[in-house]
């Protein structure tokens, strides 16, 4: 079956521009996560959705970052006034979430490599 | 902050040998998961071990968990060139948690 799909796979933008990164989770997965991965590092948590609502956005680095999931499926990560330090691979993952989260492995997309010049 | 810390950072072995990677974490956990990442790709879930389990097997993979030492290890037996990848442990903190915290990973190279 289809896995988690992320578009675009690569995005090059100039400093100060606005970007949107899209994630299509696995059908039926209610939980959706965004992570950011810098070179040589592990994924760093950004935000978690259960359904349509952002249950935890504590990982977003500042108010330039925002994410939505209006219909409980597709999610968009939005970055305003991009900075060179935002350059990284942005990973999306989904899973079967429950009200009491328990032991559900994450299914990751291949990520969007964002380069801010 | 990163919950899991893998050791070693890099490991190079000959095909057929066993590879052992270790992970330490800081707080109490609900479960600990291991993931694999090929270059330029997303992470793939390998195995999950709950806090009340001590050992788990899946094919050529063996995971142990020592909650008293806050550590886990991943053993890959009879390694193959195709096992070359980065391996990450990820800790799920206590009850009701949903946030997986990843370590920096171990880069495994299996030489044919």
């Amino acid at each position: 079956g289809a896995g988690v799909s992320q578009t675009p796979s690569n995005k090059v933008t100039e400093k100060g521009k606005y970007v949107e990164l899209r994630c299509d989770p696995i059908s039926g997965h209610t939980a959706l996560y965004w992570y950011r991965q810098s070179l040589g590092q592990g994924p760093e948590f950004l935000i978690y959705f259960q359904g349509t609502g952002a249950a935890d956005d504590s990982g977003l680095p500042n108010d330039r970052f925002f994410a939505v999931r209006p219909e409980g499926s597709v999610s968009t990560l939005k970055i305003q006034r991009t900075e060179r330090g935002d350059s990284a691979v942005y990973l999306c993952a989904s899973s079967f979430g429950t009200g009491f989260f328990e032991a559900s492995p994450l299914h990751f997309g291949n990520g969007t490599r964002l380069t801010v010049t | 902050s990163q919950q899991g810390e893998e050791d070693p950072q890099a490991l190079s072995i000959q095909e057929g040998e066993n590879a052992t990677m270790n992970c330490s974490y800081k707080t109490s956990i609900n479960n600990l998961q291991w993931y694999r990442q090929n270059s330029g790709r997303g992470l793939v879930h390998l195995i999950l071990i709950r806090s009340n389990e001590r050992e788990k097997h899946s094919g050529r993979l063996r995971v142990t968990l020592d909650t008293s030492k806050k550590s886990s290890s991943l053993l890959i037996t009879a390694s193959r060139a195709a096992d070359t990848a980065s391996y990450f442990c990820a800790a799920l903190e206590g009850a009701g948690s949903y946030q997986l915290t990843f370590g920096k990973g171990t880069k495994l190279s299996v030489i044919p």
Side-chain angles (χ1 to χ4, degrees), chain B residues 13-102:
Chain B
I13 59 173
Q14 295 288 328
E15 200 166 31
E17 293 180 340
N18 295 342
T20 299
M21 289 160 269
N22 303 298
C23 168
S24 60
Y25 56 91
K26 298 172 185 172
T27 65
S28 61
I29 59 170
N30 177 298
N31 66 62
L32 190 135
Q33 303 178 28
W34 285 89
Y35 287 78
R36 164 197 168 122
Q37 184 177 37
N38 287 78
S39 182
R41 309 284 288 182
L43 284 79
V44 175
H45 179 261
L46 294 176
I47 196 166
L48 178 154
I49 187 165
R50 291 184 173 83
S51 59
N52 60 354
E53 297 176 314
R54 292 297 166 258
E55 187 171 314
K56 203 160 185 181
H57 296 252
S58 176
R60 292 184 297 112
L61 305 180
R62 172 177 168 251
V63 168
T64 61
L65 180 66
D66 186 334
T67 52
S68 66
K69 294 180 180 177
K70 293 187 168 53
S71 67
S72 173
S73 68
L74 171 67
L75 169 67
I76 305 174
T77 60
S79 63
R80 306 166 182 168
D83 294 329
T84 295
S86 291
Y87 292 82
F88 295 89
C89 70
L92 184 70
E93 295 179 5
S97 181
Y98 43 77
Q99 187 181 131
L100 267 182
T101 309
F102 286 83

Side-chain angles (χ1 to χ4, degrees), chain A residues 33 35 37 40-45 48 55-56 58 91 100-111 113, chain B residues 2 30-31 33 35 37 40-45 48 50 88 92 95-105:
Chain A
Y33 302 74
Y35 280 83
Q37 187 176 26
Q41 301 292 312
E44 175 191 17
F45 172 79
Y48 159 70
D56 183 353
S58 62
L91 295 166
F100 183 90
F101 183 88
E102 187 194 46
S104 184
L106 302 187
H107 299 259
F108 280 85
N110 286 332
R113 181 176 298 278
Chain B
Q2 295 193 301
N30 177 298
N31 66 62
Q33 303 178 28
Y35 287 78
Q37 184 177 37
R41 309 284 288 182
L43 284 79
V44 175
H45 179 261
L48 178 154
R50 291 184 173 83
F88 295 89
L92 184 70
S97 181
Y98 43 77
Q99 187 181 131
L100 267 182
T101 309
F102 286 83
K104 294 183 179 180

Side-chain angles (χ1 to χ4, degrees), chain A residues 15-44:
Chain A
K15 180 175 177 296
K17 299 290 188 182
Y18 168 82
V19 295
E20 288 189 354
L21 312 180
R22 177 187 168 106
C23 173
D24 280 273
I26 292 173
S27 178
H29 280 188
T30 57
L32 185 145
Y33 302 74
W34 284 97
Y35 280 83
R36 178 169 70 174
Q37 187 176 26
S38 300
L39 191 64
Q41 301 292 312
E44 175 191 17

Side-chain angles (χ1 to χ4, degrees), chain A residues 56-80:
Chain A
D56 183 353
D57 64 358
S58 62
L60 295 178
N62 51 60
D63 61 6
R64 296 187 297 106
F65 288 74
F66 190 70
V68 295
R69 194 186 185 198
E71 297 177 0
S73 178
V74 171
S75 177
T76 304
L77 178 65
K78 309 181 181 193
I79 310 174
Q80 298 177 319

